[in-house]
Amino acid sequence: MSSTYTTIRSILQTTSLDRVDAKVLLYYLIHHHYQWPRSYLISHDLDVLSDAFLKDWVCLEAKRQEGVPVAYLTHTRYFHQIDLIVSPDVLIPRPETELLVERGISTIVDFLHANPMRFNSSNRLNILDLGCGSGAIILAIAKQFQKSPFFAHLNFMASDVSPSALKVAQQNANNLSLSDYVQFFESNWFDQLPFEQFGIILSNPPYLSSNDSHLQMGDLRFEPLGALSDFADGLSAYRLICAQARQRLLSGGSILFEHGFEQAKDVQAILHKESFVQILTEKDYSGLDRVTFAQKG
Ligand code: GLN
């Protein structure tokens, strides 16, 4: 690409990238190079761009053409009203995971209402996100409660087995001014967690089986394999978590899982086997079974 008279308009006319991807990457670059707002993609689309800008554009365009996810190129992802940093050490938060967040929030509110006066600032209700990755789930939930009178009655905890994922999660907590309210633990599921009883446990564990063809497709090829697959039948994390969750939950407490669209029956069966009650599955916004939750009876 010649650097003479190259403009946003000429890039958008000539690039082979998907138009939305190209615009997101261009916005990232105009913000980085010129601190321009997003609207300048339209109102300044005939301004001549600098050589430094064009060098970065050529590099990002090539990486995207190789398949690198846009979120890894811009280092950010918007998820349930919060901006998150993402890196190849963490899964890119998916829109369907917002359903787990929504159900988590309503389950916390229901539990507090069902137990009036039980929790206060010295006896808090513990909320746990197992396998937190970027921290998307626990941070989105904590952010929703931050301005509510309930906030002081809640204690947010999250764990991940990957120290590099936890660094990203901690950085996200700092950026969102939540680092005083969310504790992160390096732990293989419950193994290294302090012995607490939890009111609500949430998890979006690795659920693709080792031979799932999606692992070789699209953005997934660039995401951490250990966050996507259990290297077995896709259900081993649910078995492991459910086997230990009962003794870590308060009576009437809830467990909530995201799972693959064909796994609802299997996850329900695992919960049933571990004597959970009120087992329900909800569909995501694409109409696919996505979240299953249950109570400790
Ligand atoms: N939802 C992801 C996908 O199929 C998988 C995430 C996970 O394994 N927890 O793309």
Side-chain angles (χ1 to χ4, degrees), residues 187 203 242:
S187 175
S203 186
C242 289

Side-chain angles (χ1 to χ4, degrees), residues 3-296:
S3 62
T4 3
Y5 306 126
T6 303
T7 63
I8 287 166
R9 190 180 294 184
S10 67
I11 289 176
L12 284 172
Q13 277 166 353
T14 52
T15 184
S16 63
L17 294 187
D18 168 89
R19 206 172 165 74
V20 173
D21 288 356
K23 281 189 174 176
V24 173
L25 293 175
L26 282 169
Y27 170 57
Y28 168 72
L29 286 181
I30 63 166
H31 182 74
H32 178 75
H33 281 267
Y34 309 121
Q35 291 77 51
W36 286 354
R38 195 184 302 261
S39 58
Y40 277 35
L41 283 179
I42 297 167
S43 59
H44 286 241
D45 72 339
L46 289 175
D47 285 20
V48 176
L49 301 164
S50 68
D51 286 345
F53 181 103
L54 291 172
K55 201 165 150 248
D56 284 352
W57 164 256
V58 168
C59 175
L60 288 187
E61 186 187 41
K63 285 193 177 151
R64 182 62 193 137
Q65 271 158 351
E66 284 164 25
V68 179
V70 173
Y72 287 158
L73 296 174
T74 61
H75 317 289
T76 55
R77 181 61 145 217
Y78 183 73
F79 173 80
H80 203 279
Q81 302 174 44
I82 55 175
D83 278 313
L84 292 162
I85 291 177
V86 291
S87 81
D89 291 317
V90 298
L91 201 72
I92 300 167
R94 311 284 204 262
E96 54 268 34
T97 305
E98 294 191 351
L99 178 63
L100 184 64
V101 170
E102 290 291 325
R103 198 49 57 238
I105 292 166
S106 59
T107 306
I108 294 166
V109 172
D110 289 349
F111 195 75
L112 289 168
H113 284 315
N115 295 274
M117 315 299 281
R118 178 166 169 195
F119 301 102
N120 50 51
S121 46
S122 44
N123 177 36
R124 293 171 190 244
L125 174 64
N126 289 322
I127 318 293
L128 173 67
D129 175 7
L130 282 173
C132 66
S134 64
I137 295 164
I138 199 76
L139 294 172
I141 293 177
K143 202 71 202 170
Q144 284 291 303
F145 279 103
Q146 202 170 16
K147 293 204 174 79
S148 121
F150 289 140
F151 193 59
H153 304 177
L154 300 172
N155 190 31
F156 300 95
M157 299 162 92
S159 73
D160 205 286
V161 73
S162 155
S164 44
L166 286 170
K167 269 195 196 149
V168 176
Q170 188 65 61
Q171 203 180 348
N172 279 320
N174 297 346
N175 292 349
L176 294 161
S177 307
L178 286 169
S179 53
D180 289 344
Y181 309 106
V182 183
Q183 288 171 273
F184 292 100
F185 299 89
E186 187 181 330
S187 175
N188 185 27
W189 305 127
F190 291 104
D191 291 355
Q192 286 84 32
L193 283 182
F195 194 87
E196 299 272 356
Q197 295 279 107
F198 301 97
I200 282 83
I201 298 173
L202 306 111
S203 186
N204 174 20
Y207 56 66
L208 302 183
S209 67
S210 46
N211 56 12
D212 192 312
S213 58
H214 292 97
L215 291 170
Q216 269 78 51
M217 289 153 92
D219 288 5
L220 272 68
R221 291 169 297 159
F222 297 85
E223 294 186 287
L225 193 53
L228 288 165
S229 175
D230 64 347
F231 308 104
D233 66 349
L235 294 165
S236 58
Y238 302 103
R239 290 189 199 99
L240 237 145
I241 294 170
C242 289
Q244 296 178 43
R246 262 184 73 78
Q247 55 167 349
R248 305 303 295 266
L249 275 171
L250 298 171
S251 135
S254 292
I255 187 154
L256 296 89
F257 286 121
E258 178 176 322
H259 51 70
F261 70 101
E262 292 172 320
Q263 291 172 320
K265 286 276 162 294
D266 291 321
V267 173
Q268 288 189 5
I270 293 166
L271 285 160
H272 186 73
K273 179 171 167 278
E274 299 294 343
S275 309
F276 281 88
V277 296
Q278 312 264 24
I279 304 169
L280 286 170
T281 294
E282 265 189 35
K283 292 188 191 303
D284 64 19
Y285 313 114
S286 315
L288 302 170
D289 286 343
R290 185 62 63 193
V291 167
T292 292
F293 43 99
Q295 259 184 33
K296 173 174 167 173

